[in-house]
Amino acid sequence: MGKPKYYDFCVHAAPDGDHTASELVSLARYFGYSGIALANHSDKLPDKKPVLPPIEGFEVVRGIELVEENPSKLHSLIGKFRNSVDVLIVHGGSEAVNRAALENARVDILNHPAFDRSSGLNQVLAKAAAENGVSIGITLRPLLHSRGSRRIRLLSDLKANLDLARKYEVSLVLCSDAMSCFDLRSPMETLALAEICGLEEDEALDAISTVPERILAKNRPGPGYVREGIEVLEGDGLF
């Protein structure tokens, strides 16, 4: 097997975050990533798409993190942005938003599913995530910026989500959720932090490599693609 490719699928550039897309891309490449998703929140999109020069061996992925508390409006936003991005993330929180995201197969990742102790994931939502192929995001920034009882609560919520993800075979995506260059961590640091948070080594590696690659493959079908489950193959002149 070759060396795995590492991805950070949730990075926020200016005006959402503190640093430009170019600065974040440069640092992520230096850290050893194969690519990052610039996924600003939908209420903090740049006026113009950042123009970045092609970087050999590194990919800048188009992403967005949708922020909307009304499930009906959320579905409209999903339809609006789905075909223009490679990674579509929903910023979760309330049970209604979590449910709307996890029951929609056009969503790639649900971040921040726990808003308070009465929300987050449950068996019904975990099953919906598995059935619709929606991954759960494990975001490091909230953990790194929290202390005391808040960090304990976040780790407790994460453990509960991990237990459900394992039970229902829900995919996980491990990302920085960086709002600045100071929030980015190298792939090795990210994997180490993930294990401290309770992920097994193979789970963490899948969440930063295999699952992101699978999301890209799903959203960038080859030239013979018609729709899911159907592919046009080149014939040999017999038909």
Side-chain angles (χ1 to χ4, degrees):
M1 292 180 61
K3 182 180 177 181
K5 294 182 177 181
Y6 301 116
Y7 295 89
D8 188 337
F9 261 14
C10 190
V11 175
H12 306 286
D16 195 5
D18 296 332
H19 290 99
T20 65
S22 296
E23 291 171 321
L24 291 161
V25 166
S26 178
L27 183 58
R29 181 172 180 262
Y30 172 78
F31 278 159
Y33 284 98
S34 295
I36 62 171
L38 297 175
N40 280 19
H41 293 93
S42 53
D43 55 351
K44 295 289 181 64
L45 297 177
D47 293 332
K48 295 181 180 180
K49 293 182 180 179
V51 178
L52 299 172
I55 303 173
E56 185 177 356
F58 190 88
E59 185 170 14
V60 181
V61 179
R62 299 170 300 167
I64 192 169
E65 184 168 356
L66 301 180
V67 181
E68 177 53 63
E69 288 299 314
N70 183 299
S72 179
K73 292 181 179 179
L74 176 60
H75 285 301
S76 296
L77 283 177
I78 293 169
K80 176 181 178 180
F81 288 102
R82 174 65 280 181
N83 292 333
S84 62
V85 297
D86 296 313
V87 179
L88 193 148
I89 304 168
V90 170
H91 189 113
S94 71
E95 184 174 354
V97 170
N98 293 345
R99 180 183 294 274
L102 296 175
E103 291 181 347
N104 194 321
R106 294 177 295 174
V107 174
D108 295 316
I109 305 168
L110 173 67
N111 276 354
H112 316 295
F115 181 76
D116 55 44
R117 293 192 180 277
S118 64
S119 61
L121 295 183
N122 55 41
Q123 292 186 350
V124 173
L125 295 182
K127 186 176 180 180
E131 290 175 347
N132 292 295
V134 182
S135 299
I136 300 300
I138 306 296
T139 54
L140 295 180
R141 180 178 58 85
L143 289 168
L144 294 173
H145 285 266
S146 63
R147 297 289 184 273
S149 60
R150 174 168 169 76
R151 176 174 286 183
I152 293 172
R153 175 183 166 184
L154 288 172
L155 287 170
S156 176
D157 289 341
L158 176 56
K159 182 181 183 300
N161 289 345
L162 284 175
D163 289 342
L164 285 168
R166 288 165 179 152
K167 180 177 180 179
Y168 291 96
E169 298 183 347
V170 179
S171 296
L172 303 172
V173 174
L174 183 60
C175 54
S176 66
D177 191 35
M179 299 296 293
S180 76
C181 288
F182 301 111
D183 293 328
L184 285 174
R185 296 294 184 272
S186 72
M188 294 302 102
E189 288 179 300
T190 299
L191 291 171
L193 286 168
E195 291 188 48
I196 292 174
C197 292
L199 278 76
E200 300 293 337
E201 183 179 357
D202 59 335
E203 290 176 325
L205 186 59
D206 282 346
I208 199 176
S209 180
T210 307
V211 177
E213 285 188 310
R214 191 161 65 232
I215 290 173
L216 287 181
K218 179 187 71 174
N219 294 328
R220 295 174 175 176
Y225 178 88
V226 178
R227 65 183 181 185
E228 188 171 356
I230 299 176
E231 184 176 359
V232 176
L233 303 177
E234 292 294 332
D236 58 5
L238 296 176
F239 299 97

